[in-house]
Amino acid sequence: MFARLSFRSKISAVMIAVLLVFGISVAAVISRTTTRALLEESKRRGISGALHVTARIEDPLLALDFLRMREVVDEVVRSGEDIAYLFILNEGRIPLVHTFQGGFPTDLLLVNKVSDTESFQIQLLNTGDKLIHDFAVPVMIGSHRLGTVRLGVSHERIGSAVDRLLWTIMMIIGFAIIMAAMVGALLSRTVTRRIEVLRQSAKEIVKGNLDVQTSPTPLHHCWELMNCQKTECPAYQRASQRCWHLVGTLCPACLEGPNGETGENCHNCLVYRMNSGDEIQHLAEYFDLMAVTLKRRLEELERARNDLQRQQHLFHTIINVTPDLLSLYDPEFRCLAVNKAFCNFFGIREEDAAGSRCILGPAEAYAEQDRLENLQVMDSRTPLQTERLMHGAHGDRWFHVVKTPVLDPE
């Protein structure tokens, strides 16, 4: 499925996926770190609040002044929105003052017990719908214990703060994804447009049009930058070509390799540094170079084909104007060519003789003798001459037969 997407869609999808994974990872790390930090801060505030209540509740608790104890409790509860409850126990663990509406939950008396020797005790309680840190601090005068202060701090405020932080992070990530999608679309459009130019050039080459220009025309030319007046140089006044791709340039700073390729000197040249681009431009430059090279090779092949056709025509003209009977055979003694005199004497057509094994005409009486003579000529590499009576279409004639091996330079 992903392979069938366009290049532009792939870039956008990859960028969005990377941002999503990065954003989710960052959100998870920040959420965990923030929650841990807020919980630690909540614990410190809870301990500080409980110790503060303990310091203020000693005198009212010693005097059993319920009004003053109520004032202290109410004041502390109003000071923090995350305080879930606060109550005071006497030395017999009987509630004296509390903040609960509708009755005191006796189950709290059985949890988070603190001894006389402890400064405080913390326990995490789960009420079913929320989490509460319960802080228990003993109220001591000397070695005598007057009672216990119990303070409950809810996690709701911490959860709300973390949720707001996560929403902020997600909004930032969403905005970053939108910006990344826009930037990715812009970048991919630039890349795909240049790739489309390459594709159109390839289509033109397939159609036979090799005069394509894929890479942009250089803004600065070598003869201008180098103040060169060597008109015989292959790069002179060739505005569409890169001089570092041409063979046989006359620039003294650009040395060529043994096969005509440019060396590292061209990469350090001012002309190269001012005209070279990114990888796509390099690809387009080599694409144009390929088209030029292919055109040159095709032109050479066309010239070679024309030369072969002229030589073939000249060969047929030479062998057809001679009155002697001429025939040419390959090493397997298959006929390659015959002249008109040969065809007229034996009464055959030239196209029928090509590829056949008619050694010296269709007379089968001489077939084995001709084969042995041909083997002798091939093995000895020397001509052979003989006299032979040939049976033609219009009568018999004696011929002086010459068999000559045709050798290549090897």
Side-chain angles (χ1 to χ4, degrees):
M1 183 63 181
F2 184 77
R4 293 196 296 268
L5 294 176
S6 64
F7 184 73
R8 184 180 304 178
S9 300
K10 288 179 180 178
I11 290 180
S12 299
V14 170
M15 292 183 68
I16 292 174
V18 170
L19 285 175
L20 277 176
V21 172
F22 177 75
I24 292 174
S25 302
V26 169
V29 173
I30 291 178
S31 174
R32 185 177 303 142
T33 305
T34 305
T35 302
R36 186 182 298 113
L38 291 176
L39 286 176
E40 292 297 326
E41 181 63 24
S42 176
K43 288 181 180 180
R44 286 193 291 268
R45 288 184 64 249
I47 295 171
S48 176
L51 292 175
H52 176 70
V53 173
T54 302
R56 296 184 58 188
I57 207 71
E58 290 180 352
D59 292 340
L61 183 60
L62 185 61
L64 292 180
D65 189 345
F66 293 96
L67 181 59
R68 289 179 59 190
M69 284 189 288
R70 168 57 64 178
E71 290 177 353
V72 173
V73 169
D74 292 340
E75 181 181 351
V76 173
V77 171
R78 287 194 301 267
S79 65
E81 298 178 358
D82 53 348
I83 295 179
Y85 57 81
L86 176 60
F87 60 92
I88 310 298
L89 303 176
N90 62 9
E91 57 181 343
R93 303 184 63 81
I94 298 174
L96 301 177
V97 181
H98 62 81
T99 60
F100 295 104
Q101 302 293 330
F104 182 84
T106 56
D107 293 339
L108 287 176
L109 299 175
L110 304 178
V111 297
N112 199 17
K113 297 179 180 180
V114 59
S115 64
D116 297 347
T117 58
E118 293 177 321
S119 300
F120 59 86
Q121 183 70 30
I122 305 174
Q123 185 171 349
L124 181 63
L125 305 180
N126 189 352
T127 64
D129 57 349
K130 59 183 177 180
L131 297 176
I132 297 176
H133 265 123
D134 186 274
F135 300 88
V137 180
V139 182
M140 306 291 294
I141 294 181
S143 60
H144 180 68
R145 182 169 180 169
L146 298 179
T148 305
V149 174
R150 295 279 297 277
L151 176 65
V153 179
S154 174
H155 286 193
E156 288 183 344
R157 189 176 180 183
I158 296 176
S160 300
V162 173
D163 291 341
R164 288 194 301 270
L165 179 62
L166 289 178
W167 275 110
T168 303
I169 293 174
M170 296 308 295
M171 290 177 62
I172 294 175
I173 293 173
F175 179 75
I177 289 175
I178 295 175
M179 293 299 297
M182 295 175 60
V183 173
L186 181 61
L187 292 176
S188 60
R189 181 181 177 184
T190 303
V191 174
T192 53
R193 184 174 64 248
R194 298 168 70 183
I195 294 177
E196 179 63 20
V197 173
L198 286 171
R199 191 180 71 86
Q200 293 296 334
S201 300
K203 288 178 62 177
E204 292 297 321
I205 290 178
V206 171
K207 294 177 182 179
N209 179 20
L210 298 178
D211 296 322
V212 295
Q213 180 67 34
T214 306
S215 60
T217 303
L219 299 177
H220 308 280
H221 304 106
C222 62
W223 61 88
E224 297 172 346
L225 294 175
M226 308 299 290
N227 194 21
C228 177
Q229 300 298 327
K230 298 178 180 179
T231 58
E232 67 275 14
C233 180
Y236 189 78
Q237 293 295 334
R238 296 185 65 176
S240 61
Q241 297 294 322
R242 268 69 175 169
C243 60
W244 56 86
H245 288 160
L246 299 177
V247 178
T249 57
L250 301 180
C251 179
C254 300
L255 302 178
E256 295 182 354
N259 298 322
E261 71 277 3
T262 58
E264 292 297 328
N265 292 334
C266 279
H267 295 172
N268 299 324
C269 179
L270 176 64
V271 181
Y272 179 86
R273 295 200 306 269
M274 296 189 68
N275 290 294
S276 63
D278 56 10
E279 291 80 1
I280 297 181
Q281 180 174 326
H282 291 168
L283 177 62
E285 292 174 1
Y286 279 103
F287 197 88
D288 292 343
L289 179 63
M290 178 193 69
V292 171
T293 305
L294 182 60
K295 182 180 180 180
R296 184 169 61 248
R297 298 292 173 81
L298 289 177
E299 291 174 349
E300 293 174 356
L301 288 176
E302 182 66 19
R303 288 194 296 269
R305 187 177 70 88
N306 294 333
D307 291 341
L308 288 176
Q309 287 180 345
R310 285 193 297 269
Q311 293 176 11
Q312 185 179 15
H313 180 71
L314 179 62
F315 170 74
H316 281 287
T317 301
I318 292 174
I319 67 173
N320 284 330
V321 297
T322 179
D324 295 330
L325 278 62
L326 297 179
S327 57
L328 179 66
Y329 303 91
D330 65 9
E332 302 296 330
F333 309 133
R334 289 186 294 266
C335 183
L336 298 177
V338 294
N339 66 347
K340 289 185 178 180
F342 188 97
C343 294
N344 292 334
F345 178 79
F346 290 107
I348 60 176
R349 297 184 302 175
E350 183 178 353
E351 56 268 21
D352 294 335
S356 65
R357 294 181 180 271
C358 50
I359 307 302
L360 278 178
E364 297 182 358
Y366 303 108
E368 181 62 23
Q369 182 180 353
D370 283 341
R371 190 183 69 83
L372 295 176
E373 291 175 351
N374 291 337
L375 289 174
Q376 178 184 348
V377 171
M378 293 290 292
D379 293 339
S380 64
R381 302 290 195 274
T382 58
L384 182 145
Q385 301 185 32
T386 183
E387 305 291 332
R388 180 164 299 164
L389 178 65
M390 309 293 289
H391 303 286
H394 304 287
D396 299 342
R397 288 179 57 186
W398 281 93
F399 285 91
H400 180 73
V401 180
V402 180
K403 297 185 177 183
T404 302
V406 182
L407 305 177
D408 61 18
E410 297 181 359

